[in-house]
């Protein structure tokens, strides 16, 4: 119990450099809970305020925390081209229902170097008419990169949208060999 008589959970965070800019990584004792793109000061502050509101405790910057160590190691290895799969405990508490089901299917069923269409992912989760809802789930993904929403594309071959920006999506798909490396 904290000083306000509330049962809050511990949330630790840090910012790591990556091939797509600074990423905020946040974890609880249950696992990695949030990854945030483009973690400049303003973006970081908004993300931390959202986490505090949703999880009921103030996140603490703790780059050396054992709760973050493996996530930091695996994220760095991924961007160095040395890791294809993330093997991390994930805290799914920021997402529920259909969105969680879609993201779990994505995490387990769409391997490195492959892509899936929104409609196909909807079918895999037993909701064949829910392609647009899959798009909403991708946009609400609290664990991008680790839960690879960048691997979801349009059925007509278009790249689709992406919360981290289309250039970030292109870079991630190029890293995985799906697209050619950007020329500039």
């Amino acid at each position: 119990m904290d000083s306000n008589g509330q049962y809050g959970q511990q949330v630790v965070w840090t910012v790591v450099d990556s091939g797509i800019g600074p990423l905020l990584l946040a974890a609880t004792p249950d696992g990695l809970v949030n990854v945030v793109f483009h973690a400049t000061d303003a973006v970081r502050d908004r993300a931390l305020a959202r986490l505090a509101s949703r999880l009921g405790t103030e996140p603490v910057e703790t780059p050396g925390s054992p709760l973050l160590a493996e996530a930091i190691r695996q994220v760095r290895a991924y961007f160095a081209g040395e890791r294809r799969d993330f093997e991390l405990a994930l805290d799914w508490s920021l997402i529920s229902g259909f969105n969680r089901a879609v993201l779990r299917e994505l995490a387990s069923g769409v391997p490195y170097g492959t892509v899936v269409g929104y409609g196909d992912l909807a079918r895999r989760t037993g909701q064949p008419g829910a392609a647009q809802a899959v798009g909403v789930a991708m946009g609400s993904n609290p664990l991008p990169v680790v839960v690879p929403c960048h691997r979801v594309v349009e059925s007509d071959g278009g790249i689709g949208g992406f919360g981290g920006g289309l250039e970030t999506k292109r870079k991630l798909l190029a890293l995985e060999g799906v697209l050619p490396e950007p020329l500039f």
Side-chain angles (χ1 to χ4, degrees):
M1 199 176 296
D2 67 17
S3 60
N4 298 320
Q6 300 293 314
Y7 287 99
Q9 63 178 345
Q10 178 185 16
V11 181
V12 296
W13 67 274
T14 193
V15 174
V16 296
D17 290 326
S18 75
I20 55 171
L23 292 176
L24 181 142
L25 304 178
T28 70
D30 291 332
L32 189 66
V33 70
N34 203 199
V35 177
V36 178
F37 292 115
H38 315 300
T40 59
D41 290 348
V43 169
R44 181 199 68 217
D45 292 347
R46 283 192 303 273
L48 293 172
R50 273 192 316 272
L51 276 172
S53 172
R54 297 279 310 275
L55 298 177
T57 190
E58 222 29 68
V60 177
E61 184 175 17
T62 316
S65 171
L67 299 177
L68 289 166
E70 189 60 19
I72 292 167
R73 189 185 73 69
Q74 289 189 30
V75 164
R76 287 182 175 153
Y78 171 82
F79 283 104
E82 300 164 356
R83 172 171 280 281
R84 292 176 169 230
D85 301 307
F86 290 96
E87 297 170 5
L88 295 169
L90 300 178
D91 179 339
W92 293 94
S93 63
L94 294 178
I95 195 140
S96 61
F98 176 76
N99 291 354
R100 183 187 290 187
V102 169
L103 292 172
R104 283 183 179 264
E105 174 59 30
L106 174 64
S108 66
V110 183
Y112 182 98
T114 65
V115 294
V116 65
Y118 294 93
D120 185 35
L121 193 52
R123 280 188 293 284
R124 291 183 188 193
T125 58
Q127 302 290 327
Q132 285 186 314
V134 166
V136 171
M138 296 305 103
S140 64
N141 181 3
L143 297 161
V145 180
V146 175
V147 176
C149 53
H150 59 278
R151 297 180 189 153
V152 183
V153 297
E154 296 173 347
S155 60
D156 65 3
I159 195 168
F162 194 62
L166 292 181
E167 186 57 31
T168 299
K169 186 171 187 173
R170 285 185 190 96
K171 287 180 180 179
L172 289 166
L173 291 172
L175 174 70
E176 295 189 9
V178 176
L179 291 177
E181 287 288 338
L183 296 176
F184 47 89

